[in-house]
Amino acid sequence: MKFKKLLAIVLSISLVAAVLYGCGGNSDNENTTGSGDSGTQSNNADKTISVVAKGESHAFWQSVKRGAEDAGKKYGYKITFRGPTSESSSELPSQKEMVQTALSNNVSGLVIATIGEGFTDMLEQAYDQKIPVVQFDSGIWEADIKTLDDKGKNPIVSSVATSNEKAAAIAAENFFDEIKDDIKESDGVYVIGVIQHDQTVTGIDRAKGFIDRFTELADEDEETSGKYKIEKEIKDGDSNNAYVDALNALVEKKANAIFMSNEGVVKQVSDAIAANAGKYDDIEFCGFDAGTKQIEWIKAENGADLVGSVAQDSYQIGFEAVEQCVFAIEGKTIAQNVPIAGKWYDEDNIDEMIRNNLVYEG
């Protein structure tokens, strides 16, 4: 009897120990796999991707944020989204602090677009910590990337951005369709103006994409070839009505139509038109980007005509950037470059574009 009692006690103790061990094991497994589809993360906190943008409050960045968060939901990752109050160089220290905070928190991945140079030390840290980095929109400045490459410590696995040349080419195609009859019927040389918003790669590529494609189309058409001329004005920054000065310079050059390379240009030109009733009514306009001014202008029934504009697919930029980051974290196939096509919109499809988060107010 004593032996049977002793055996029963031993078995009871073993059973309790097994139950306790099993509970502890289940808890550890939850920390290891986290929530969502991936089982590669070490704990729940690791299933975080930090998105550091060039801004946060503007409608463009809010659309990027929605795309990023939707991708996070799809793949089971928490998304943190931060950006400086403006894209001014004075905000560079603030953005650097955001990146450093993300790295200090040992996030799973980093999605970033910087407003200036000087991120090499932090990006080297990401490389050492095996944190994949996806650059998006205008990405990381070329000087920083060169330094990282020279040191063999470049953590950038993918680049996701609008192809500015291709998007501007779409604008050129649609604008040419609209004004080609005017070029054919013109008594003299028909002047197409281009306002290039700055001398960054973005500004250069947009102007080039528009000019190259427009020239190609106009030269292929026997009725427009030799009957047009393109004039370009380049202005750095959108302060002190620089783009209004560009507009008036093109008016002096007898511009019949004008392509505006970003939302900042459109805003200033729109304000100038509103303040000078009738002065610019004979000019056809074409825009780039989105925003309240472009929506109102396209829908306006009177005054100078904004034929249409090409929008960046900001929602898709955010979604694709996070998706590529997830693929890198989980060891899946990634695309080194993901070009996001622009979308043309005019009075016929603008409401649909708004519903699809491609055109936004702000």
Side-chain angles (χ1 to χ4, degrees), residues 40-72:
T40 62
Q41 306 302 313
S42 61
N43 54 54
N44 283 336
D46 283 345
K47 289 184 69 68
T48 297
I49 293 173
S50 176
V51 180
V52 180
K54 292 167 64 177
E56 187 170 2
S57 59
H58 189 280
F60 175 86
W61 298 115
Q62 285 297 305
S63 181
V64 171
K65 181 180 180 181
R66 286 195 297 272
E69 290 177 340
D70 282 353

Side-chain angles (χ1 to χ4, degrees), residues 54-124:
K54 292 167 64 177
E56 187 170 2
S57 59
H58 189 280
F60 175 86
W61 298 115
Q62 285 297 305
S63 181
V64 171
K65 181 180 180 181
R66 286 195 297 272
E69 290 177 340
D70 282 353
K73 291 174 184 176
K74 177 178 178 179
Y75 293 105
Y77 283 76
K78 176 184 177 183
I79 303 299
T80 62
F81 192 101
R82 299 185 68 190
T85 55
S86 76
E87 296 183 27
S88 167
S89 58
S90 63
E91 294 294 324
L92 191 56
S94 172
Q95 193 184 40
K96 288 181 177 179
E97 182 181 348
M98 295 172 188
V99 175
Q100 187 58 64
T101 297
L103 295 174
S104 298
N105 289 336
N106 198 34
V107 294
S108 293
L110 177 65
V111 175
I112 184 172
T114 61
I115 59 175
E117 299 176 359
F119 288 83
T120 52
D121 289 345
M122 283 172 278
L123 293 172
E124 284 183 48

